[in-house]
């Protein structure tokens, strides 16, 4: 199956075209906050270079976050627009499930640690089992102290909140961290995860919703 996958939850724009699990084209660049300008032109350019027609795409996989509120809205609107025209399958993938794929070489439990602002972090703990990572917690939004209090085994943390909370991590016996990997979500990983999940079913594009976790704080007050 030909798959289009993209993620706009961080400062990186990540886009990939896959045929089954084989990556045919990919784009992964730090673009700041220009996702709305660049996403669709990037997809168009990649399709042209690959020689694919948009009508050939059988599956669209999109990163659901948590992450940038504006970026996630852009992704949701884009996937709904494509699906309305193409009538293809759509699968939403929590972004941290793609982030953890950057830890393919480790046998330790690991977790993203992302700055959610307002004194909180996003996280989710994964345990390595064979060649896969299994999620052992929900997708979390809490303070760093609350997160560290939940630990009952050693966990390696990574992400943009490491620098902010390094002292807290250094002071906890079960917390370790690394800053030596490119942890940002890759669309190729997201596409492989989405393809696997599509075998069990797909999402209704009209009801596909970003994983905000603190959605109430994103509401616009009148």
């Amino acid at each position: 199956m030909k798959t289009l996958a993209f993620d706009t939850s961080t400062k990186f724009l990540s886009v990939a075209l896959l045929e089954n699990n084989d990556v045919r084209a990919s784009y992964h660049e730090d673009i700041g906050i220009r996702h709305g300008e660049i996403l669709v032109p990037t997809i168009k350019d990649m399709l042209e270079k690959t020689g694919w027609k948009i009508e050939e795409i059988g599956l669209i996989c999109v990163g659901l976050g948590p992450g940038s509120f504006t970026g996630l809205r852009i992704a949701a609107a884009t996937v709904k627009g494509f699906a309305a025209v193409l009538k293809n399958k759509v699968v939403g993938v929590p972004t941290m499930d793609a982030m953890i794929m950057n830890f393919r070489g480790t046998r330790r439990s690991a977790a993203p640690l992302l700055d959610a602002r307002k004194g909180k972090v996003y996280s989710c703990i994964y345990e390595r089992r064979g060649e896969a990572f299994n999620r052992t917690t929900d997708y979390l939004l809490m303070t760093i102290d609350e997160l560290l209090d939940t630990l009952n085994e050693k966990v390696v943390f990574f992400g943009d909140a490491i620098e902010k909370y390094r002292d807290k991590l250094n002071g906890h016996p079960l917390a370790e961290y690394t800053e030596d990997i490119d942890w940002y979500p890759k669309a190729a990983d997201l596409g492989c995860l989405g393809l696997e999940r599509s075998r069990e079913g797909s999402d209704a594009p009209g009801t596909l919703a970003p994983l905000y976790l603190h959605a109430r704080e994103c509401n616009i007050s009148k």
Side-chain angles (χ1 to χ4, degrees):
M1 180 183 292
K2 291 183 177 180
T3 299
L4 164 65
F6 56 89
D7 185 90
T8 59
S9 66
T10 73
K11 65 180 182 178
F12 275 78
L13 171 62
S14 194
V15 184
L17 296 176
L18 303 93
E19 190 159 13
N20 297 319
N21 285 322
D22 296 325
V23 180
R24 301 304 186 192
S26 63
Y27 176 95
H28 185 74
E29 296 289 341
D30 180 350
I31 64 165
I33 59 173
R34 296 183 296 140
H35 299 82
E37 303 171 32
I38 296 177
L39 175 57
V40 172
T42 298
I43 293 171
K44 181 175 182 291
D45 183 61
M46 291 173 64
L47 287 168
E48 290 175 351
K49 289 180 178 178
T50 308
W52 289 8
K53 295 180 179 179
I54 188 66
E55 294 81 7
E56 298 178 55
I57 300 297
L59 173 66
I60 299 178
C61 302
V62 60
L64 295 180
S68 163
F69 177 50
T70 301
L72 295 176
R73 287 194 303 168
I74 290 167
T78 301
V79 74
K80 289 176 183 179
F82 278 141
V85 175
L86 302 175
K87 309 298 182 184
N88 44 18
K89 289 184 178 180
V90 171
V91 173
V93 179
T95 302
M96 287 190 280
D97 289 359
M99 288 179 181
I100 197 65
M101 300 301 291
N102 292 303
F103 264 75
R104 288 186 177 91
T106 187
R107 294 292 167 182
R108 307 284 297 279
S109 291
L113 189 68
L114 310 178
D115 188 2
R117 305 187 185 281
K118 298 188 178 181
K120 294 185 178 181
V121 295
Y122 298 121
S123 192
C124 182
I125 298 174
Y126 298 81
E127 180 183 61
R128 185 67 181 260
R129 294 179 185 173
E131 295 303 312
F133 277 99
N134 289 348
R135 183 166 56 87
T136 60
T137 70
D138 202 349
Y139 305 105
L140 305 171
L141 172 66
M142 54 180 56
T143 68
I144 186 65
D145 290 326
E146 289 170 339
L147 175 62
L148 295 176
D149 283 346
T150 70
L151 301 185
N152 53 25
E153 63 175 337
K154 286 192 175 181
V155 175
V156 181
F157 290 98
F158 61 93
D160 65 359
I162 295 298
E163 182 176 359
K164 188 173 184 178
Y165 296 109
R166 185 179 283 110
D167 289 345
K168 296 274 189 181
L169 297 170
N170 284 332
H172 197 283
L174 297 180
E176 299 180 6
Y177 61 87
T178 179
E179 298 175 272
D180 295 333
I181 65 165
D182 176 11
W183 56 265
Y184 289 95
K186 312 298 189 302
D189 292 329
L190 193 147
C192 291
L193 290 169
L195 177 62
E196 181 67 25
R197 294 177 187 186
S198 73
R199 298 187 176 108
E200 300 178 1
S202 58
D203 297 312
T207 60
L208 192 70
L211 187 62
Y212 291 130
L213 296 187
H214 51 359
R216 292 179 184 176
E217 297 178 19
C218 296
N219 291 339
I220 299 174
S221 300
K222 294 183 179 180

